[in-house]
Amino acid sequence: MIKKKTPAWMALTLGASLSLGFGQATAQEQVVKIGHVGPLTGNIAHLGKDNENGVRLALEEYQAKGLSIGGKKIKFELVAEDDQADPKTGNIVAQRLVDAGVKGVVGHLNSGTSIPASRIYNDAGIPMVSPSSTNPKLTQQGFAYIFRTMTNDIQQGSVLGKYATTKLGKKVSIIDDRTAYGQGLADEVEKGVKASGGTVSAREFTTNQSTDFMAILTKVKMQNPDVVIYTGMDAQGGPMLKQMRALGIGAKFMTGDGGCTLDFIKLAGDAMSDKAFCSQAGLPLDQLADKTFRDRYKKRFGIEVQVYAPYAYDAASAIVEAMKAAGSVEPAKYLPALKKVAFKGAGGDVAFDDKGDVKGGAVTVYQFKGGQWESLK
Amino acid sequence: MNELAEAIPYLGRHHPKAARALVLGLILLAPVLAASVGNTWVRVLDAALLYVMLALGLNLVVGFAGLLDLGYIAFYAVGAYTWAFLASPHIGVHLPFWAVLPLGAAFAALAGVLLGFPVLRLRGDYLAIVTLGFGEIVRIFMGNLSVTNGPQGINMLDSLSLFGWEISRGLQVTENFKINALVLFYYAFLLFVVGSVVVIRRLQFSRIGRGWAAIRDDELAAKAIGINTRNMKLLAFAMGATFGGVSGGLFGSFQGFVSPESFTLLESIAVLTMVVFGGMGNLGGVIVGAIALSLLPEVLRHIALPLQQALFGKVLLDPEVLRMLLLSLAMIFMMLLRPAGLLPANARYARAEYLHDKQEAA
Amino acid sequence: MENLLQQIVNGLVVGSVYALVALGYTMVYGILGLINFAHGDVLMVGALVALQVATLLHKFWPGLHPLLILAISLGVAIPVCMLLGYVMERTAYRRLRNAPRLAPLITAIGVSFLLQTVAMIIWGRNYHSFPPLFPTIPLEPFPGVFITPVQVTILVASATLMVALIMLVNRTPLGRAMRATAENHRVASLMGVDTNKIISTTFILGSGLAAVAGVMHASNYGVAHYSMGFLPGLKAFTAAVLGGIGNLGGAMVGGIVLGLVETIGAGYIEQLSFGLLNSSYQDIFAFVILGIVLIFRPTGLLGERVSDRA
């Protein structure tokens, strides 16, 4: 109880000072708050910051052009929150954005936080556009306010499965890490393999905390597959590839976007060869639709684009374009326009289908060559 | 509540009535005060109340009966998944809460007895490790069975509703005045917590409670004076699990989404820490422990981040790391300096030596 | 057939790491009646310290022979972990020897979290790749059955260390003092045994073994990470209970049995459960076996002590 007193008092004083802060925008100028959520701390903090920068760049560029909507000059304010890639924290910061009165949200980064948080935004009537959550569930909940600018796992999984079967070999073993991401992607890969005439000789499972895969790999070896596909993160994928080779399994190895990283290459060590492949939603950075995007990003922030920044840029642009088309910054008014938005973004053409998924998203397959992942096709 | 009031420095000793009024006022007004800064804090308070219920239930097993349970979160999971099955589009059943919650509680109690039976003979550390295993087994099954939708979890759970009115939609009092859903959740949860406290309090001072205390302090002696230790222990597991089950159901209704990720060993340990931190066996202590530790991360985020920015110009330790650091240090130092917790249990039904003395080694 | 053989090899390798860690648990439990939850994290510290040393050596003496690097990093990691074990005992556990029985356990959980958090602050949250210090080309002793040089080393080293420890406990004056302390602190100290010193020594020995286990674990899988000790720690504790806690031979048997059950279980789970379960359930084996053994034989496979000592 004693503990509770302090925040409550703090709450009061803070509340007073906050309410004083409102209403300062002049009559001709309207401040519009746009929220962004991603992990800004923890082991994928760099990806969260990357997304945030993408949104910042988009808003600043619109600002610089002197945007006015409904007769008022618009001043954007980015409210950036940190969800630590944790569902519980995600819900809390989502609530905080709603409290702050944002007109639209770009985020969250992870599917695990996006899905629970989407309910909060939808209930509050605030459009959310995720630049990087790939779990199909996000847009299958029937929420009108939820969109994404990134290819989902259904699309990625079918490309993965199809590529493996048609280019690498007909007999495929699939291993997943029993997370929502890994299992979801694995199911789609299996469908993709079967649809393109391959056979799935084994489905094996591990966890996202395991380090020993010898037992399941010995089983996989019995099936003698052409390709082993792992859907999970690099921390397991790298050592898994290593253990495969230690067991004398010569099959090709393929993994999803969780393994398309530099860490994977380091962790797999000398087990890496041109028999290792990975897939990633979106276009390779050197083939982006907007050729000057990377330069503008680098000029503004002094660092290179990591992965999803172009799609965060597009997500923010989609919101602003919809506001422009509707002539209003109020979510209820611009939502119909957001559903119909169509423009050429940094990552490609942006338009949403009736569920809120981006239409015709791209998936790229990479192969390990010369010490790094190199895009194919 | 009296214990909480007494714990307030100065006021509790000298003006017990004022202290009680203060506690009551704080409990009732907390969400309103919190809402004045932002609903974020109300959401945090809601979650804290769920932890209070969990801690109360675990306290019954660990604090009263002296059975160390490291898999307690499994019962929370049973309650949450019961809600998910019976009140969501998952299998298309939408039962009202007054049907689902008792069912969830019953299933959890059943799970408690199932766990209790085989481990009756085990004590202390052995019990701890077997219950830990039980918790993990339950989580692994929830994460792999197809009926529970595996790691994907179950989404779109119904919220608490009364006569067709859903609490999550908030309450429109007049045209301009709407009570927020989160505030309503707070009061709903508060009702459950108060109910639990009343039940547990009655239990504690009943024949059963005294029996538990006797088993905790000396099982052999308890048996010798004619206490049916087997039934008493099973009852402790079942009762503790019941509270976990109810709390799990409420969690489901609040979050609207359940997945195995929410029921890890770490959560079990977190709840145990709340119990121990506040004061095992003492209801007031357990409540304070649960509230303090569940508010900690949010408070840290609000204080530690700006403070580090101001002092060093950058964030050296992010709040999550800081929380873990403080939590682990708290666990160690509490045990070293104040092993009976923040608000120790009074020795009414506890042998004084139990609190301060350990068994002589082997 | 070669698959079963391969699974047995896999199981033996995993099991001997468990056994090595389980020895530390069982020694401490035998003497203090304390589950040192942080023991698994000592393994992690050992691995990360060794990684740090190896990385530094790579940087400053690039041409150094891998086995020399291994020796030096072990030479640093073992004393660091021993010191850590000593400090843990002195600062946290010693003062709790007469506290209520939950207190030391909770402290131990706290120490475990503390070690993980500090390691996270020092080494970050990333998985680090552990440099290959052994030749990586797998051997093929039987056609179709593979074993890497690291794994051979693990088998040999753990067997040697375990035998050495048992000799130490059963054949030396120090060992006799340890056994006396385990039997009864008070009487042992009356007989002139410095029990505090013996308890410290126990922690130091256990931590040293954990450091070795950590380096072996990391070089076998090629990864090191701040939370890598938790699961092996838990499994090793299970192994110690399985074998009969407080019994050194039991820890070895428990470790090996658990390793075999886990891999063979994961390998043949479909056949064993008539197609009902698959390898996603592989982690329940440890706990199911533990439950069954404790319920039907509460003293563990080789145990002497009764489970009722609280």
Side-chain angles (χ1 to χ4, degrees):
Chain A
M1 274 312 120
I2 319 169
K3 290 255 161 185
K4 220 154 97 186
K5 214 159 51 176
T6 338
W9 278 117
M10 237 173 49
L12 273 182
T13 36
L14 234 141
S17 59
L18 266 181
S19 48
L20 281 179
F22 287 133
Q24 279 174 349
T26 51
Q28 303 83 15
E29 198 182 64
Q30 187 177 10
V31 174
V32 175
K33 289 185 184 170
I34 302 288
H36 172 265
V37 193
L40 300 178
T41 51
N43 53 356
I44 51 171
H46 57 293
L47 297 183
K49 195 74 194 166
D50 188 43
N51 284 6
E52 187 190 313
N53 286 342
V55 178
R56 196 179 295 277
L57 189 65
L59 295 182
E60 283 175 2
E61 286 181 5
Y62 274 110
Q63 192 87 60
K65 279 184 229 156
L67 181 71
S68 48
I69 293 172
K72 283 181 189 152
K73 204 166 155 44
I74 297 296
K75 187 171 185 299
F76 284 114
E77 187 185 325
L78 177 62
V79 187
E81 290 285 358
D82 174 16
D83 66 8
Q84 299 171 1
D86 165 52
K88 251 184 256 159
T89 316
N91 275 0
I92 289 172
V93 298
Q95 186 67 53
R96 189 144 54 205
L97 285 180
V98 173
D99 288 353
V102 296
K103 302 293 181 201
V105 174
V106 179
H108 301 192
L109 193 150
N110 314 70
S111 298
T113 59
S114 288
I115 293 173
S118 60
R119 185 172 172 158
I120 295 174
Y121 299 120
N122 195 63
D123 285 352
I126 296 171
M128 156 183 165
V129 188
S130 173
S132 49
S133 299
T134 53
N135 194 311
K137 279 238 168 111
L138 178 62
T139 49
Q140 285 170 358
Q141 304 175 94
F143 289 162
Y145 286 86
I146 309 304
F147 301 84
R148 73 173 128 216
T149 51
M150 174 52 63
T151 327
N152 70 24
D153 285 344
I154 297 182
Q155 292 153 304
Q156 194 197 154
S158 67
V159 170
L160 238 171
K162 196 173 153 204
Y163 187 88
T165 328
T166 51
K167 301 273 170 64
L168 306 178
K170 294 259 178 246
K171 213 169 159 192
V172 181
S173 289
I174 305 173
I175 305 174
D176 77 69
D177 68 355
R178 291 279 106 186
T179 59
Y181 159 75
Q183 190 237 4
L185 186 57
D187 286 352
E188 298 307 328
V189 171
E190 183 169 358
K191 281 184 209 152
V193 168
K194 286 182 177 155
S196 39
T199 52
V200 175
S201 58
R203 279 283 302 259
E204 293 296 335
F205 312 92
T206 181
T207 73
N208 59 348
Q209 278 154 28
S210 302
T211 41
D212 186 293
F213 313 103
M214 300 297 267
I216 53 167
L217 287 174
T218 304
K219 275 167 90 180
V220 166
K221 190 182 171 190
M222 254 193 293
Q223 316 283 339
N224 201 17
D226 301 320
V227 197
V228 176
I229 299 182
Y230 176 64
T231 58
M233 304 311 287
D234 50 10
Q236 278 68 42
M240 184 182 289
L241 177 55
K242 215 177 202 176
Q243 290 170 38
M244 254 173 74
R245 300 297 180 236
L247 278 173
I249 304 175
K252 300 188 179 73
F253 183 86
M254 206 171 175
T255 178
D257 52 350
C260 242
T261 63
L262 291 175
D263 270 1
F264 183 96
I265 298 174
K266 274 188 229 150
L267 289 172
D270 52 9
M272 284 309 272
S273 67
D274 58 1
K275 282 178 163 182
F277 299 81
C278 73
S279 76
Q280 174 113 43
L283 293 165
L285 289 177
D286 52 3
Q287 291 167 28
L288 285 180
D290 182 348
K291 298 292 174 207
T292 63
F293 179 80
R294 289 173 83 188
D295 297 333
R296 295 198 323 263
Y297 183 98
K298 182 144 192 219
K299 203 174 148 209
R300 169 65 180 83
F301 301 108
I303 45 172
E304 291 287 345
V305 173
Q306 296 281 337
V307 192
Y308 300 119
Y311 305 95
Y313 180 91
D314 289 352
S317 306
I319 292 175
V320 180
E321 289 295 332
M323 286 175 172
K324 269 165 61 181
S328 167
V329 298
E330 291 313 315
K333 298 236 176 71
Y334 81 77
L335 181 71
L338 186 55
K339 286 183 188 296
K340 282 183 290 197
V341 84
F343 64 97
K344 201 171 164 60
D349 290 329
V350 179
F352 300 111
D353 63 15
D354 47 2
K355 279 195 302 228
D357 277 328
V358 69
K359 281 183 192 160
V363 178
T364 313
V365 176
Y366 296 79
Q367 183 177 20
F368 183 76
K369 264 184 199 158
Q372 57 178 338
W373 293 117
E374 243 174 51
S375 61
L376 299 172
K377 284 199 279 196
Chain B
M1 203 184 102
N2 287 345
E3 280 141 355
L4 294 182
E6 274 164 34
I8 300 177
Y10 181 75
L11 211 57
R13 272 296 146 66
H14 301 276
H15 303 280
K17 268 193 185 152
R20 246 173 277 171
L22 181 66
V23 171
L24 193 68
L26 266 181
I27 292 175
L28 287 179
L29 289 180
V32 183
L33 292 179
S36 66
V37 211
N39 286 324
T40 317
W41 285 101
V42 190
R43 185 173 281 275
V44 174
L45 284 180
D46 290 353
L49 282 184
L50 289 178
Y51 275 114
V52 168
M53 265 197 88
L54 275 179
L56 284 172
L58 181 62
N59 176 54
L60 209 136
V61 187
V62 181
F64 290 176
L67 303 163
L68 182 50
D69 186 348
L70 281 183
Y72 185 67
I73 212 72
F75 306 124
Y76 189 54
V78 169
Y81 271 95
T82 307
W83 187 284
F85 280 131
L86 298 181
S88 85
H90 181 55
I91 42 179
V93 186
H94 296 272
L95 294 182
F97 79 92
W98 45 263
V100 183
L101 278 184
L103 273 175
F107 285 138
L110 190 70
V113 174
L114 276 182
L115 166 69
F117 245 114
V119 302
L120 277 175
R121 287 204 291 168
L122 306 176
R123 281 205 65 183
D125 307 329
Y126 283 79
L127 184 64
I129 201 79
V130 173
T131 50
L132 185 156
F134 173 77
E136 286 295 282
I137 290 174
V138 168
R139 187 181 60 84
I140 292 170
F141 270 90
M142 303 270 177
N144 287 301
L145 291 175
S146 52
V147 277
T148 59
N149 214 2
Q152 305 291 345
I154 299 173
N155 205 348
M156 311 287 291
L157 272 58
D158 297 352
S159 121
L160 277 178
S161 64
L162 209 58
F163 308 118
W165 164 68
E166 273 196 41
I167 197 171
S168 66
R169 271 193 248 127
L171 183 61
Q172 197 82 39
V173 183
T174 65
E175 203 166 314
N176 304 321
F177 182 69
K178 186 179 174 189
I179 301 180
N180 189 294
L182 293 169
V183 175
L184 293 176
F185 265 116
Y186 177 89
Y187 289 112
F189 290 173
L190 189 63
L191 275 181
F192 281 101
V193 168
V194 170
S196 317
V197 171
V198 171
V199 172
I200 291 175
R201 176 129 288 225
R202 305 287 305 215
L203 264 177
Q204 186 182 9
F205 298 121
S206 71
R207 214 184 144 80
I208 299 170
R210 295 195 304 265
W212 284 338
I215 295 178
R216 171 192 64 197
D217 291 349
D218 194 330
E219 189 170 344
L220 226 59
K223 215 172 196 162
I225 58 170
I227 293 173
N228 185 337
T229 53
R230 190 194 64 185
N231 288 359
M232 284 308 225
K233 280 178 164 185
L234 285 181
L235 193 64
F237 273 116
M239 291 296 300
T242 307
F243 290 102
V246 172
S247 171
L250 294 176
F251 170 76
S253 78
F254 178 59
Q255 205 79 351
F257 173 70
V258 291
S259 75
E261 277 180 339
S262 309
F263 310 107
T264 56
L265 173 61
L266 268 174
E267 286 288 308
S268 279
I269 291 179
V271 178
L272 181 67
T273 316
M274 290 170 183
V275 173
V276 173
F277 183 77
M280 244 188 302
N282 179 12
L283 295 189
V286 170
I287 294 174
V288 169
I291 292 179
L293 291 187
S294 45
L295 292 189
L296 180 72
E298 263 321 280
V299 173
L300 277 181
R301 179 198 281 273
H302 275 259
I303 296 173
L305 276 185
L307 197 69
Q308 288 187 51
Q309 283 285 7
L311 286 181
F312 312 111
K314 59 176 178 176
V315 179
L316 294 175
L317 297 176
D318 54 58
E320 186 52 22
V321 174
L322 208 57
R323 182 179 78 102
M324 286 297 288
L325 206 58
L326 283 183
L327 210 62
S328 50
L329 287 175
M331 277 162 101
I332 299 172
F333 283 103
M334 279 301 283
M335 287 301 109
L336 289 177
L337 307 175
R338 213 184 154 106
L342 222 50
L343 307 181
N346 56 16
R348 184 126 62 130
Y349 288 119
R351 207 171 64 180
E353 300 95 282
Y354 170 78
L355 297 171
H356 305 292
D357 195 31
K358 191 203 158 196
Q359 100 274 353
E360 59 281 54
Chain C
M1 190 59 212
E2 75 239 29
N3 278 307
L4 182 61
L5 262 179
Q6 179 73 58
Q7 294 291 25
I8 290 174
V9 170
N10 299 343
L12 283 176
V13 173
V14 179
S16 40
V17 175
Y18 287 163
L20 215 48
V21 184
L23 283 175
Y25 273 108
T26 222
M27 280 200 296
V28 168
Y29 193 92
I31 287 189
L32 280 180
L34 161 75
I35 302 180
N36 181 13
F37 239 95
H39 191 64
D41 298 294
V42 177
L43 175 152
M44 171 272 294
V45 172
L48 282 170
V49 167
L51 170 70
Q52 188 74 57
V53 173
T55 319
L56 286 179
L57 287 175
H58 261 299
K59 201 167 171 187
F60 292 109
W61 291 278
L64 217 57
H65 193 275
L67 285 181
L68 202 59
I69 296 182
L70 177 73
I72 298 175
S73 23
L74 262 179
V76 179
I78 294 174
V80 168
C81 286
M82 285 180 160
L83 183 69
L84 182 67
Y86 176 73
V87 171
M88 266 189 327
E89 198 273 326
R90 257 333 268 274
T91 51
Y93 301 142
R94 180 168 295 185
R95 300 159 105 239
L96 288 170
R97 250 179 246 162
N98 294 315
R101 67 161 182 268
L102 262 180
L105 183 70
I106 304 222
T107 312
I109 296 175
V111 171
S112 163
F113 282 3
L114 185 66
L115 288 180
Q116 288 188 32
T117 315
V118 171
M120 179 162 64
I121 294 171
I122 299 177
W123 287 288
R125 291 183 212 231
N126 286 359
Y127 281 72
H128 299 282
S129 78
F130 198 87
L133 301 175
F134 291 86
T136 45
I137 301 140
L139 315 170
E140 198 173 351
F142 303 97
V145 179
F146 291 82
I147 184 164
T148 61
V150 193
Q151 291 170 329
V152 176
T153 317
I154 290 179
L155 291 178
V156 173
S158 1
T160 319
L161 283 172
M162 286 186 262
V163 171
L165 187 72
I166 288 178
M167 300 273 275
L168 176 92
V169 171
N170 288 330
R171 298 277 170 84
T172 63
L174 174 67
R176 196 188 310 140
M178 284 169 75
R179 279 179 288 142
T181 313
E183 206 66 48
N184 191 323
H185 286 207
R186 228 169 276 174
V187 177
S189 62
L190 285 178
M191 303 301 277
V193 176
D194 183 350
T195 48
N196 276 338
K197 205 167 125 193
I198 295 301
I199 292 171
S200 292
T201 314
T202 310
F203 268 89
I204 289 173
L205 275 177
S207 305
L209 290 178
V212 179
V215 175
M216 296 197 305
H217 192 274
S219 42
N220 186 20
Y221 300 118
V223 273
H225 181 231
Y226 76 92
S227 71
M228 67 183 277
F230 190 73
L231 263 182
L234 205 60
K235 297 276 175 67
F237 177 70
T238 310
V241 176
L242 191 61
I245 197 153
N247 180 329
L248 291 180
M252 291 169 50
V253 172
I256 302 286
V257 167
L258 188 68
L260 286 174
V261 165
E262 275 197 342
T263 41
I264 293 176
Y268 295 92
I269 184 165
E270 284 94 349
Q271 289 92 321
L272 290 172
S273 66
F274 307 104
L276 273 178
L277 304 178
N278 52 36
S279 60
S280 52
Y281 293 93
Q282 56 185 307
D283 285 329
I284 68 172
F285 281 104
F287 299 118
V288 171
I289 292 281
L290 178 77
I292 292 173
V293 168
L294 282 184
I295 288 155
F296 293 104
R297 197 181 152 79
T299 51
L301 293 175
L302 302 186
E304 296 142 10
R305 287 159 187 282
V306 285
S307 67
D308 202 67
R309 65 190 296 288

